[in-house]
Amino acid sequence: MERVDVAIVGGGPAGSSAAGAAARRGADAVVFEKGVPRADREGLGPDSTDAAGMLDYWIDLMDYRPEEIPDDVILSRLDGAEFVGPTERVTLSDTGIEASYDGFGFAFHRARFDDWLRAEAEAAGATYRVGTAVRDVETDLSGGHSHRLTLADGDEIEAEYLVLADGPQRTVTMGVLDQFVPDGRSMRDHLASTTANHIAYQEHRRFPADVFDPELIKFWWGLIPGHTAYPWVFPNDDRVVRVGLTMPIGVDLDRVRNRDAYDLLSDEDEQVPPGRVYLRRLLEREYGDRYDVPEDFPLVEDRGKQGGTEAYPISSTRPIESPTAAGVAVAGGAMGTTSAFHEGGDHVAVRTGKLAGELAAEGRLSRYNDAWRDAIGEEIRRNVAMADLVRGYEPADWDRTFRTADRLLDRGGTGLVEALTTGVDAVKLVGAYKRRKFALRNGGYVQFREDEYAV
Ligand SMILES: Cc1cc2nc3c(=O)[nH]c(=O)nc-3n(C[C@H](O)[C@H](O)[C@H](O)COP(=O)(O)OP(=O)(O)OC[C@H]3O[C@@H](n4cnc5c(N)ncnc54)[C@H](O)[C@@H]3O)c2cc1C
């Protein structure tokens, strides 16, 4: 049987970053990626579904220098973000967090980003097996740790270390971790709660020149019901825009309070409309007075996954720690780093992947949970606190938040993070955001700790 030092399940940003870091430190690292066909990539590769926006300080969190990102990965350099409520809107042109990148951020080509990370890993000596899924993993803890991976084609590989980077669907992660969850419980109880599962849907559309703003990303809040449910617009090159949304699965419209306040719902809706209907209504709401939407905003069929569209299940769970004593590190979406606001996860995936690969190669994986908390803990804490606070928000709350944020901006000198949290804070009154953030200190956002595993 083939034997390797580090086996990595999943070839997205977390997996490729783990492979590169491990190979750079001399380990024999192999990535197993099931392989997903996409219209915007030749041959099979990782899933690569993404709105693909990067904020300035996220580049530092990835532990890259801005000049290391290849030019062809960047599609559009951004000046700011606009947040739109039912009637209020606010534009922020500064994240307010120190960053080496000169600018607000950029929109990028996710498939090229993933291909770049893979090329870096291969240049460092990692190998890829693309096109066959990992079907099963069995861990043997007698005399250290070893993991036997079984692929869908029947091949078997043994690895000393295992990095789980199979994304938020966690098809492999769940089964591996269940080996170490005590008392007959399952990791599913923590990571797959039906109240925490979302769906993302996205379309690539060419916008008319006079409404295409290459420098602004936009988010609409309070237009569709559900916790962290919102549409967005991300400008790319050549007037192509990713119009997408995320929403929880299973919202019961009969239980939505003030349903008339949600602009993208119609009186006739008996259940939550599909993503494509919501997006059509969004474009009609914004541009329908001046344009024939289907005609003037055509789908760009050679982009995205298929026919100009893509869908992806995502998860809003909180992060878990890894059972490092078993030689296992969970990284990126699989560990729940894309926690609260789903469109922000590539940076934390890259960083956790790098740390997992590096520490596995050096035989110091026991450092992993502390290392990722040191590197990205503050970012996760901020996101989890914000998401907790806006639970139960209705359209009028979003308007009040954006009005407050806008007033703060008028007074000058505030960034995205401060303006939004202070806006939310003002609606909730007296320091709620700060209190929530304080309650999550010392890793309080972690939902399964290392000492809870039976290893
Ligand atoms: C619609 C949408 C918009 C987003 N927008 C942004 C954004 O603007 N900015 C941002 O930073 N983040 C964004 N995110 C989040 C970001 O995409 C994730 O945080 C990131 O992809 C996580 O990387 P990952 O490597 O952990 O997982 P993934 O990218 O999900 O990669 C996991 C890989 O594992 C493979 N895999 C799964 N099971 C198996 C198996 N059994 N065997 C082998 N391979 C397997 C999959 O094919 C996949 O390629 C967005 C996400 C979505 C869905």
Side-chain angles (χ1 to χ4, degrees), residues 13-14 33-34 47 50-53 110 134 171-172 312 333 338 343 345-346:
E33 165 57 52
K34 69 178 177 195
D47 187 282
D50 214 337
R110 170 63 196 267
V134 174
T171 47
V172 179
Y312 193 79
T338 321
E343 84 289 347
D346 292 316

Side-chain angles (χ1 to χ4, degrees), residues 128-178:
Y128 276 69
R129 288 185 60 173
V130 179
T132 309
V134 174
R135 203 177 55 206
D136 187 42
V137 180
E138 262 179 60
T139 300
D140 180 357
L141 296 180
S142 57
H145 43 73
S146 74
H147 310 278
R148 179 187 295 232
L149 285 76
T150 307
L151 306 188
D153 63 8
D155 271 9
E156 292 191 335
I157 294 96
E158 198 171 287
E160 186 180 2
Y161 288 96
L162 180 68
V163 177
L164 296 166
D166 52 343
Q169 296 176 63
R170 305 177 175 109
T171 47
V172 179
T173 293
M174 249 6 142
V176 172
L177 296 186
D178 276 355

